[in-house]
Amino acid sequence: MNRKYFLPMLLCAVVASPAAAQSDSGFYVSGFIGGGFPSDAEFSGVQAPETGAPGAAGAPAIVDAEFDSDTTLGVALGYDLPYEFFGVFHPRLELEYSTLDADVSTGSFNGGNQSFGGDLSIDFFLINNYTDIIWQDNQTVVPYFGGGLGIASVDANVLYAGGGATAPTFGVVGEDDGFVGTFALGASWQLADQWDIYGEGRYYRIQDIELERRFIADGANLLNAKVDDTLDGTTLTAGVRYRF
């Protein structure tokens, strides 16, 4: 993992000075599953084809890709901080790992009409800072808001066939890590003293993912262009939380 991302990750763990203490604090673990909805991507760059690869040096390489909705899931280790703000805001911190996979539904290269396929997978490594809104004792439903900072590891395999070909001739492929930020809204329902279930909606944004457009027809694997984009999307999830 690139060291340049460590400082932004740690910034998420910095919270305002506490106003008053509360008694209900401690660790918890949680797990969640739901739907992931990546936004359309536009991978763009300038063609610089290797010997044997088709293309025109200096020409644009713009690959638009649309994705199907698919599954996201994850786990987290969290801690309810022993503080409250203004009597109702109760912060907690989390370390989260989650993953999202999505198939490519369609796309185009330089505005053309090509047949697309392949997939995209993202692994998230996050430090989350959430705030529960609790205004009375024994509150069963607890709204919350917050967000996270961290690293997203992207593995792309966006394939397409141009020129009437029936098999993929090019692909936007590769792996890269990018700085990611998230914002989330949700609500928890207390089932017992130690068990909660919750639902959450989240927006994520991954900065500056760099990949390669490669010529892959007939067993070739030749660079045509380096391309990049900032990826974003949303998730809707349900989970369970155990406090100990």
Side-chain angles (χ1 to χ4, degrees):
M1 187 177 296
N2 196 317
R3 288 180 295 177
K4 72 180 180 180
Y5 297 121
F6 286 178
L7 180 58
M9 289 179 63
L10 292 176
L11 291 177
C12 187
V14 179
V15 296
S17 299
Q22 69 174 41
S23 60
D24 190 13
S25 64
F27 287 97
Y28 63 85
V29 292
S30 62
F32 60 85
I33 189 170
F37 311 95
S39 299
D40 299 346
E42 183 182 272
F43 301 105
S44 60
V46 176
Q47 296 187 50
E50 293 180 342
T51 301
I62 302 174
V63 182
D64 295 307
E66 298 180 16
F67 303 95
D68 293 326
S69 58
D70 214 317
T71 302
T72 182
L73 54 88
V75 293
L77 172 65
Y79 184 72
D80 288 299
L81 296 173
Y83 309 111
E84 65 181 32
F85 300 87
F86 307 106
V88 295
F89 300 115
H90 300 254
R92 51 189 170 90
L93 296 177
E94 285 187 354
L95 295 175
E96 177 193 314
Y97 165 74
S98 57
T99 185
L100 187 158
D101 294 297
D103 292 331
V104 178
S105 60
T106 187
S108 67
F109 171 68
N110 283 353
N113 184 18
Q114 296 88 17
S115 174
F116 270 69
D119 54 33
L120 181 80
S121 65
I122 308 172
D123 291 323
F124 296 91
F125 304 88
L126 296 170
I127 298 175
N128 297 325
N129 183 357
Y130 289 124
T131 298
D132 292 324
I133 304 173
I134 304 174
W135 57 86
Q136 65 182 22
D137 294 336
N138 301 317
Q139 185 175 320
T140 303
V141 178
V142 177
Y144 66 86
F145 65 92
L149 295 175
I151 301 300
S153 181
V154 177
D155 185 355
N157 190 39
V158 179
L159 307 177
Y160 61 96
T166 57
T169 54
F170 281 90
V172 175
V173 297
E175 299 180 17
D176 193 25
D177 296 338
F179 175 64
V180 59
T182 71
F183 176 74
L185 295 172
S188 303
W189 292 264
Q190 185 174 8
L191 298 179
D193 288 342
Q194 293 176 290
W195 290 96
D196 299 337
I197 59 174
Y198 63 94
E200 180 178 299
R202 174 184 292 182
Y203 171 79
Y204 66 85
R205 184 177 178 87
I206 309 168
Q207 294 294 126
D208 300 329
I209 294 299
E210 298 181 355
L211 303 167
E212 295 181 345
R213 178 183 184 243
R214 302 190 73 87
F215 177 65
I216 58 173
D218 300 323
N221 188 12
L222 300 172
L223 177 68
N224 168 268
K226 293 186 177 181
V227 295
D228 63 77
D229 191 19
T230 292
L231 305 177
D232 67 344
T234 58
T235 62
L236 291 174
T237 57
V240 61
R241 184 182 300 127
Y242 175 74
R243 303 179 185 277
F244 56 92

